[in-house]
Amino acid sequence: MILNSKIPQGPLEQKWDNYKKKAKLVNPANRKKLDVIVVGTGLAGSSIAASLGEMGYNVKSFCFQDSPRRAHSVAAQGGVNAAKNYKNDGDSVYRMFVDTLKGGDFRAREANVYRMAECSLNLIDQAVAQGVPFGREYGGYLNNRSFGGVQVSRTFYARGQTGQQLLLGAYQELMRQVGKGTVQLYSRHEMLDLVMIDGKARGIIVRNLDTGEIERHAAHAVVLATGGYGKIYYLSTLAMGCNGSAIWRAHKKGALMASPSWIQVHPTSLPQSGDYQSKLTLMSESLRNDGRIWVPLKADETRLPNDIPENERDYYLERRYPAFGNLAPRDISSRAAKERIDAGFGIGPLKNAVYLDFSKAIREQGKEKIQEKYGNLFDMYLKITGYNAYNEPMMISPSAHFSMGGLWVDYELMTTIPGLFALGEANFADHGANRLGANSLLQASVDGYFIAPYTIANYLADEIHTGKISPDAPEFETAENAVKKQIQDFMDIRGTKTVDYFHKTLGKLLYDYCGLARNEEGLKYAIGEIRKLKQEFYRDVRVSGQGDKMNSELEKAGRVADYFEIGELMCYDALTRNESCGAHFREEFQTPDGEALRNDTEYQFISAWAWAGENREPELIREPLIFEEIQPTVRSYK
Amino acid sequence: MDLHLKIWRQKDKQSEGKLVSYDLKELNPHMSFLEMLDTLNEKLITEGDEPVEFDHDCREGICGQCGMMINGIAHGPLKNTTTCQLHLRSFKNGETILIEPFRAEAFPVKKDLKVDRSAFDRIISSGGFVSVNTGQAPDATAIAVTHQIAEEAFDSAACIGCGACVATCKNGSAALFTSAKITHMVLLPQGKKERNERVLNMVTQMDHELFGHCSNTEACEVECPQGISVLNIARMNYEYGRALFFRKK
Ligand SMILES: Cc1cc2nc3c(=O)[nH]c(=O)nc-3n(C[C@H](O)[C@H](O)[C@H](O)COP(=O)(O)OP(=O)(O)OC[C@H]3O[C@@H](n4cnc5c(N)ncnc54)[C@H](O)[C@@H]3O)c2cc1C
Ligand code: SF4
Ligand code: FES
């Protein structure tokens, strides 16, 4: 298969305009003849569903939570990027494009990245118009701050709850359309399969999580905006329900998965404290603007942090990366922390953390200023750990956070299945091998508000004469039966181990062998172990309750079953990429001083994977990356 | 630490529920309340029982999906804290803890500790938005909003829609939730234009949903994890009166 990324002609800064000029339109009178399914109500899903609804299409919107407002976008704290240059500090679309491409270690498409930077300008306008209360200067203008990996202030924020406020804005627009009847809402519904007719995406099979009923929904196009699968590691910063099932089921129906092993590990989450733990909480990275990161100079230090004098502290980020210091990008900061922890300098009861220290900032700016900037984060820290970070440094540690990989999409955000689109974190686009902070709320939003409304219309223009898609078609019947059978199979195993046991075991395997650092031997070992674990799961898992009633264990079982396969693919992906780039650090490929060693001559491509069947080696398809505007350079933050 | 739990078990909306006792031993006091329930569920599943259904997702106090009555208090004993952010160190070794679903006529129980809060979505749908289509917006700085106003609007916008205010109110009123959205919107210039229809529609919808009336006990503010102020309710009442006045004219 040759992948066609459909990048439009013309110079970089005109590509998107050129696309829009030529994109096909659907006459308003015809729009109501067209049905679109949107799975997911995060920023990407709510924004596209609301946009398509307001344009006049019939939209059905699905999410597994009890309300669309709870989609995981709500959890994002730090902020959202836009090249507004309100600070007059030299920001521009071009600079943002360069930062993003470089941040992603030159493993993203130029045209996509440029478009995201370009659309960032409109996003802030859109959100403000919706009533998102972004932080403001006293004079009334919007404020911003800087985030890891860049040297300008381009991050807009609403205290430490930017994702929440952006999502509520999108959710409110979605609910407005629901009120008008252009969007039908199905909360507490989980997509369990994609239905294809004549090679096109034509609908989905869902389970009503409240009643256990299996339903069929047909449409002319299906949009997956189902977020990331970082929860595969079990311990991660993601919500409990986050999963990869929707994209995985689509993958098994023929959509390619791109770069699955690129999962960002966030440097500032709270450390694990025990086995019972269900998730790791993120402390916003914005804390790094004022917090300084250090570990004791002496290994196995026993003194309390405040008793350790300045000259016995190792501010390792400032030492190793003087130009960026505590604001070094996430992959670099996470790896540097892991390096210190592995070398025996970790702190905390489990020696698995580093300090994030605000004493200098509090001395210089006063407690009140710090309180205003990060108060809710300090409160959160206190609630979770019982420690007051105004008096002593926070303890932080790296944890799995964001999946850069996802369904492969072309410039139109369409997967390799015609009529199936993937938006937001569910696609692989824009972030390359590493995401810069505050770029993903942006990507999810612009995908939904500004890009997909054009590209989906371009697709639907050819569907006007198709007529209604019938959910009675045999393809729906087959898919529904397969879903029902899978559920029955889970219920029938009646083994002895819980679903969580399997999820935790898989997560630990991935942390150890396909986490912050990977090597060939470990990855091969992990593939074998994952296959064994999967077999054990199908032999010995215990799902209690009933298949046709509300049953959270059953929901989890389906997600974990998919995680085994995704985990295996992650290992294959990491194994084939004989280089280190972004979040992907192969121990065999590093410079003498421990930095990532990229190999552009051999690996300047996107890895897209095709499903080859159970326990079979997946097929790798390469999309070469062509850089016209800037030439890849070695990423240096020194 | 050891705990004795009394948990509300109810098969479905139609069935009658009852309290069932469970004992848990050797729990780590740093465990969150929901992790304690996870531990219980692991035990129930391996012993062949059905786990307790409860709602949760983010487990960081921001999605608003978790929530239960703990010893009669919405989200438990800690002030301004969601259930997922509550840890066992807030309880005593050997304590008996009573765990029940949020109760209100407008929030029917679905199973065990899960309730249906979709009435909140319908309230938002009736007017809790600024009517702006995509791609129409003027530059974000075109209308200045002072720091104070933005912060004040934020204070109200921070509601997570958890429903604790309703559950804790003896009338089952949704006044705090609804008024928070109304206040958020009316403070900002962007939301002001639709203030009259918004408040009229949202209050009407709130009444349709079987929420009770607000009788100013202020219990809601006490239990709200986001510390949403009852002054929002005063603002809603003012806006409602004002809107009625302008509608008559
Ligand atoms: C703790 C945290 C902090 C973050 N902070 C920042 C930040 O400061 N800045 C930034 O830019 N980014 C941040 N991110 C990343 C960012 O929040 C996400 O990448 C982004 O919000 C993803 O949006 P989305 O719309 O793609 O998906 P989500 O918001 O995750 O939405 C997924 C939706 O899909 C639905 N869904 C999933 N599977 C199914 C299924 N099978 N059936 C039905 N529905 C399904 C869910 O119900 C949900 O509605 C953060 C992420 C986390 C976890
Ligand atoms: S007002 Fe407070 S208690 Fe009520 S729904 Fe909002 S956050 Fe929850
Ligand atoms: S689980 Fe999200 S607020 Fe508690």
Side-chain angles (χ1 to χ4, degrees):
Chain A
M1 182 193 279
I2 306 262
L3 290 171
N4 178 4
S5 58
K6 296 199 218 142
I7 294 172
Q9 295 298 309
L12 200 54
E13 57 279 6
Q14 285 164 26
K15 284 186 193 295
W16 181 229
D17 278 341
N18 287 345
Y19 177 88
K20 286 192 283 187
K21 262 183 229 155
K22 291 187 195 141
K24 283 176 249 169
L25 301 174
V26 181
N27 169 325
N30 283 329
R31 293 182 197 158
K32 49 179 173 297
K33 296 184 200 146
L34 293 164
D35 304 320
V36 184
I37 283 171
V38 179
V39 188
T41 59
L43 273 169
S46 289
S47 55
I48 186 64
S51 302
L52 293 175
E54 97 201 1
M55 289 159 87
Y57 298 97
N58 297 318
V59 181
K60 285 183 176 179
S61 155
F62 296 84
C63 70
F64 62 71
Q65 287 94 348
D66 75 335
S67 160
R69 64 181 292 147
R70 315 214 197 274
H72 196 50
S73 293
V74 80
Q77 302 167 345
V80 58
N81 285 338
K84 283 281 200 186
N85 195 31
Y86 285 156
K87 286 263 156 135
N88 202 24
D89 58 1
D91 203 7
S92 64
V93 168
Y94 188 79
R95 196 178 289 272
M96 182 167 171
F97 153 73
V98 175
D99 283 343
T100 304
L101 206 62
K102 176 179 164 205
D105 232 344
F106 300 94
R107 290 292 174 266
R109 275 186 213 133
E110 271 190 342
N112 280 61
V113 175
Y114 192 89
R115 177 175 63 183
M116 182 177 84
E118 197 178 339
C119 294
S120 73
L121 305 176
N122 299 4
L123 174 66
I124 301 302
D125 302 340
Q126 179 74 24
V128 166
Q130 289 169 355
V132 172
F134 281 122
R136 296 267 176 170
E137 309 263 17
Y138 283 91
Y141 291 106
L142 285 148
N143 206 346
N144 24 42
R145 56 189 173 204
S146 68
F147 239 55
V150 302
Q151 287 167 314
V152 291
S153 274
R154 69 161 72 101
T155 307
F156 293 78
Y157 63 93
R159 282 193 209 150
Q161 281 142 262
T162 317
Q164 177 196 37
Q165 291 307 315
L166 281 173
L167 182 68
L168 289 183
Y171 155 77
Q172 285 160 198
E173 295 312 320
L174 174 69
M175 293 317 290
R176 174 173 156 242
Q177 296 303 323
V178 171
K180 285 182 172 176
T182 62
V183 176
Q184 275 172 278
L185 182 64
Y186 296 83
S187 50
R188 299 279 302 148
H189 279 67
E190 179 162 9
M191 166 179 162
L192 292 182
D193 210 355
L194 175 76
V195 181
M196 290 175 50
I197 300 179
D198 298 333
K200 290 180 173 175
R202 288 304 193 199
I204 58 174
I205 305 292
V206 296
R207 181 165 182 273
N208 178 331
L209 303 181
D210 282 343
T211 63
E213 274 160 283
I214 304 295
E215 301 170 6
R216 308 174 184 184
H217 295 272
H220 296 90
V222 175
V223 181
L224 300 185
T226 52
Y229 53 89
K231 189 73 194 164
I232 193 169
Y233 288 90
Y234 193 74
L235 284 177
S236 84
T237 62
L238 274 79
M240 300 303 286
C242 289
N243 67 86
S245 286
I247 59 174
W248 191 250
R249 310 275 166 111
H251 173 66
K252 288 171 95 172
K253 289 276 165 101
L256 300 191
M257 272 287 279
S259 318
S261 74
W262 291 346
I263 297 200
Q264 181 164 79
V265 174
H266 199 287
T268 61
S269 106
L270 298 183
Q272 184 182 4
S273 60
D275 293 339
Y276 53 81
Q277 202 151 346
S278 55
K279 75 164 292 194
L280 298 174
T281 301
L282 181 79
M283 296 310 283
S284 166
E285 174 173 43
S286 63
L287 291 167
R288 296 201 279 152
N289 277 308
D290 287 299
R292 298 177 73 201
I293 294 176
W294 62 276
V295 290
L297 262 180
K298 197 172 101 213
D300 290 322
E301 177 63 77
T302 49
R303 285 174 292 177
L304 293 173
N306 289 342
D307 296 340
I308 303 174
E310 204 53 34
N311 60 358
E312 291 178 45
R313 300 175 174 193
D314 177 12
Y315 294 92
Y316 58 87
L317 284 179
E318 298 170 30
R319 167 169 60 80
R320 284 178 66 177
Y321 309 100
F324 281 73
N326 295 300
L327 290 174
R330 293 181 174 176
D331 55 331
I332 297 205
S333 308
S334 297
R335 219 153 38 231
K338 180 173 162 39
E339 192 273 328
R340 285 291 79 189
I341 291 169
D342 289 350
F345 298 91
I347 53 98
L350 300 180
K351 301 270 171 225
N352 59 352
V354 300
Y355 288 125
L356 176 63
D357 195 335
F358 291 88
S359 55
K360 183 161 180 270
I362 291 174
R363 255 193 328 273
E364 284 170 1
Q365 304 170 35
K367 187 176 161 193
E368 229 158 62
K369 188 81 202 163
I370 297 299
Q371 204 156 13
E372 188 193 315
K373 284 199 227 174
Y374 313 109
N376 68 316
L377 299 170
F378 279 60
D379 293 346
M380 186 162 118
Y381 185 77
L382 179 67
K383 268 182 201 166
I384 297 173
T385 64
Y387 295 109
N388 183 340
Y390 292 108
N391 304 335
E392 60 185 300
M394 287 182 182
M395 288 186 281
I396 54 161
S397 145
S399 86
H401 177 57
F402 178 90
S403 38
M404 273 82 67
L407 288 179
W408 183 91
V409 288
D410 59 23
Y411 189 76
E412 296 190 293
L413 307 182
M414 187 150 86
T415 67
T416 43
I417 296 178
L420 180 71
F421 294 80
L423 273 52
E425 201 175 332
N427 74 27
F428 86 104
D430 301 9
H431 305 296
N434 176 42
R435 172 181 70 107
L436 284 186
N439 258 356
S440 92
L441 291 177
L442 170 66
Q443 183 228 336
S445 305
V446 300
D447 279 5
Y449 285 125
F450 306 121
I451 299 168
Y454 288 93
T455 62
I456 294 175
N458 186 53
Y459 175 81
L460 289 174
D462 293 333
E463 291 289 332
I464 296 164
H465 303 294
T466 306
K468 273 264 173 246
I469 310 292
S470 166
D472 299 328
E475 289 83 351
F476 276 92
E477 172 100 30
T478 315
E480 181 180 318
N481 289 340
V483 162
K484 285 184 168 159
K485 177 169 182 316
Q486 195 200 27
I487 291 173
Q488 197 52 47
D489 288 348
F490 288 144
M491 301 306 304
D492 289 344
I493 298 172
R494 303 238 151 256
T496 62
K497 297 200 174 93
T498 61
V499 177
D500 281 355
Y501 161 81
F502 288 99
H503 194 173
K504 284 179 188 174
T505 313
L506 173 68
K508 171 104 181 44
L509 256 173
L510 289 172
Y511 260 115
D512 290 347
Y513 299 103
C514 194
L516 259 177
R518 304 99 195 252
N519 61 48
E520 184 179 338
E521 198 192 342
L523 289 164
K524 286 184 173 157
Y525 171 77
I527 292 173
E529 289 303 297
I530 293 172
R531 286 188 180 179
K532 276 193 246 164
L533 191 66
K534 181 173 152 189
Q535 280 175 4
E536 191 190 340
F537 173 86
Y538 281 103
R539 208 178 46 235
D540 201 21
V541 75
R542 173 164 202 108
V543 180
S544 47
Q546 286 159 282
D548 55 357
K549 295 269 154 51
M550 179 190 284
N551 189 340
S552 326
E553 282 301 303
L554 179 62
E555 294 166 29
K556 287 197 271 182
R559 294 169 193 163
V560 171
D562 293 332
Y563 276 151
F564 290 123
E565 293 171 354
I566 300 177
E568 196 178 314
L569 184 65
M570 282 165 60
C571 293
Y572 275 113
D573 186 47
L575 197 56
T576 48
R577 196 163 272 277
N578 289 326
E579 64 162 352
S580 293
C581 62
H584 169 67
F585 190 75
R586 274 284 296 273
E587 285 165 348
E588 302 94 324
F589 307 98
Q590 53 178 306
T591 63
D593 52 350
E595 301 297 341
L597 193 62
R598 217 177 55 212
N599 178 346
D600 288 339
T601 28
E602 286 172 273
Y603 294 96
Q604 193 166 295
F605 58 78
I606 298 292
S607 305
W609 295 90
W611 172 251
E614 198 136 343
N615 295 335
R616 306 248 312 258
E617 220 171 289
E619 186 196 348
L620 172 63
I621 297 154
R622 296 173 178 82
E623 181 203 332
L625 286 168
I626 297 147
F627 295 101
E628 292 173 355
E629 188 66 30
I630 48 178
Q631 281 319 302
T633 49
V634 175
R635 253 169 104 216
S636 169
Y637 293 89
K638 298 217 164 183
Chain B
M1 65 194 285
D2 300 346
L3 289 176
H4 179 66
L5 309 174
K6 284 181 156 177
I7 303 182
W8 184 262
R9 302 299 307 258
Q10 179 172 337
K11 233 176 111 217
D12 49 38
K13 198 171 159 181
Q14 287 78 29
S15 308
E16 267 187 48
K18 61 171 191 297
L19 286 167
V20 180
S21 294
Y22 303 97
D23 283 309
L24 285 178
K25 300 210 178 307
E26 290 175 38
L27 298 163
N28 184 323
H30 291 301
M31 215 178 239
S32 74
F33 199 82
L34 299 187
E35 283 163 351
M36 182 270 290
L37 289 178
D38 290 344
T39 312
L40 170 69
N41 279 346
E42 287 266 307
K43 193 171 150 224
L44 292 179
I45 296 163
T46 32
E47 288 169 357
D49 288 331
E50 267 198 48
V52 180
E53 290 281 354
F54 61 95
D55 249 330
H56 65 99
D57 197 21
C58 74
R59 296 206 174 183
E60 41 185 80
I62 190 79
C63 75
Q65 187 153 293
C66 66
M68 48 198 84
M69 301 303 280
I70 301 169
N71 291 336
I73 306 172
H75 292 302
L78 277 193
K79 291 284 152 263
N80 304 137
T81 304
T82 53
T83 306
C84 57
Q85 296 291 85
L86 179 67
H87 290 76
L88 296 193
R89 54 180 168 268
S90 298
F91 299 88
K92 285 194 291 290
N93 188 23
E95 191 172 336
T96 299
I97 307 178
L98 176 65
I99 309 173
E100 297 168 282
F102 278 177
R103 292 192 193 278
E105 216 184 335
F107 287 173
V109 174
K110 295 200 282 198
K111 185 172 182 179
D112 297 339
L113 304 172
K114 279 191 178 176
V115 299
D116 181 352
R117 286 167 289 192
S118 49
F120 273 7
D121 288 328
R122 292 187 290 272
I123 293 179
I124 295 296
S125 193
S126 72
F129 45 73
V130 179
S131 300
V132 48
N133 284 359
T134 307
Q136 305 297 306
D139 189 274
T141 51
I143 306 170
V145 180
T146 66
H147 178 76
Q148 271 91 347
I149 293 290
E151 294 296 305
E152 226 182 293
F154 186 99
D155 287 339
S156 300
C159 161
I160 58 174
C162 64
C165 48
V166 174
T168 205
C169 172
K170 64 180 165 73
N171 308 322
S173 159
L176 195 63
F177 168 82
T178 310
S179 66
K181 188 50 58 190
I182 286 169
T183 307
H184 160 210
M185 291 292 173
V186 82
L187 283 173
L188 294 170
Q190 290 80 5
K192 264 208 173 93
K193 306 280 178 296
E194 294 169 283
R195 67 196 290 182
N196 294 344
E197 304 100 89
R198 178 179 305 115
V199 69
L200 294 173
N201 290 339
M202 288 180 79
V203 170
T204 307
Q205 186 64 30
M206 183 169 78
D207 293 342
H208 278 169
E209 296 287 352
L210 305 178
F211 289 106
H213 281 286
C214 170
S215 54
N216 294 317
T217 62
E218 303 192 0
C220 50
E221 176 178 326
V222 179
E223 296 312 332
C224 171
Q226 293 297 94
I228 304 286
S229 158
V230 288
L231 290 177
N232 286 287
I233 301 180
R235 163 84 72 165
M236 174 169 79
N237 292 339
Y238 161 77
E239 287 293 328
Y240 189 74
R242 189 184 171 280
L244 282 181
F245 175 76
F246 279 109
R247 187 171 62 177
K248 279 204 201 98
K249 282 217 289 192

